[in-house]
Amino acid sequence: MRDEALREAFERFSTDYDARFPRLIPRYVEFHGVIVQRVEEHLQRAAGDEARAKPAGGPWLDLGCGTGELSRRLLERLPGLRLHCVDLAPAMIERAREKLAPWGTQVSFAIGNFLEAPLPAGAAGVVSALAVHHLEADEKRALFARLHGALAPGGLFVLGDAVTGGSEAYTAYYTRRWVEHMRASEMSDDQIAAVLSDNEQNDRFSGLLEQMSWMRESGFSQVECLWKHFLLVVVAAEKG
Ligand SMILES: C[S@@+](CC[C@H](N)C(=O)[O-])C[C@H]1O[C@@H](n2cnc3c(N)ncnc32)[C@H](O)[C@@H]1O
């Protein structure tokens, strides 16, 4: 049922997603940039500069790839990367397919829920931006355990997402800052109200610290918050 509601919402967003999200999400490009930089640094550390041209090991997963914006940025920076993109909304995957066509068979696609869709064995890494917050808390924990199992030893998980504040007051403060950002991006009151209503219906933000502890519980080490801007965070974790 929730899958259907989410699919329906993102099918609606698919046509104007790329124009809409930089206005809706504060520092959207910078946020993706932090994820890309961490992946690049990980590959260089693992195998030196040549790794950028042809990364060794299994594919990288982009969970909740949407229209493929994060994957595109990864591939522009790391042109030899192999990626497997998963999303439950067929129209979003279709946009991603068109956008990522220049990288041909390096990129594969699957329509499905990343909590249960088959994942390629021995993935070298996982990235996910603005998607995991749609899961309930227990589903996030189950996902982190699943990803730890799917990664090859030495694999990296980079999660970019929206979180609650550490108290109700800070959660409310983040929401106010988010609304200010949307106003400054010249979104109308009706558009902002629609975003907040969608947020209430479809989003299940969890706290940053609890998510980091769930990653550790799942076996990840070096769990680190690399970047934070009010409700947005980028967290990296490694499979030792
Ligand atoms: C806000 S978009 C983010 C897209 C892209 N990652 C980005 O950074 O722009 C969230 C995407 O996650 C997908 N999604 C949400 N929950 C999912 C799930 N459990 N399994 C697969 N896809 C999911 C939605 O269909 C949507 O395309």
Side-chain angles (χ1 to χ4, degrees), residues 119-123 142-153 218-220 239:
L119 301 175
L143 177 71
F144 297 162
R146 179 166 204 233
L147 296 181
H148 188 266
L151 278 167
S218 302
F220 284 103
K239 176 163 173 172

Side-chain angles (χ1 to χ4, degrees), residues 157-237:
F157 173 31
V158 191
L159 175 71
D161 215 342
V163 298
T164 58
S167 63
E168 278 183 26
Y170 268 111
T171 299
Y173 173 68
Y174 290 168
T175 305
R176 287 200 299 277
R177 296 300 303 237
W178 188 20
V179 169
E180 275 167 28
H181 165 84
M182 291 191 273
R183 287 213 178 99
S185 308
E186 295 178 1
M187 289 176 64
S188 69
D189 287 348
D190 284 353
Q191 287 170 322
I192 295 173
V195 168
L196 295 179
S197 146
D198 179 71
N199 172 238
E200 208 170 294
Q201 252 182 293
N202 290 320
D203 295 343
R204 303 286 189 270
F205 296 171
S206 299
L208 168 64
L209 297 182
E210 56 185 349
Q211 294 191 72
M212 291 173 72
S213 76
W214 299 337
M215 288 179 192
R216 287 192 195 97
E217 248 175 52
S218 302
F220 284 103
S221 56
Q222 300 288 345
V223 178
E224 186 74 16
C225 178
L226 301 176
W227 181 94
K228 187 169 191 306
H229 179 69
F230 303 110
L231 79 170
L232 291 172
V233 299
V234 176
V235 176

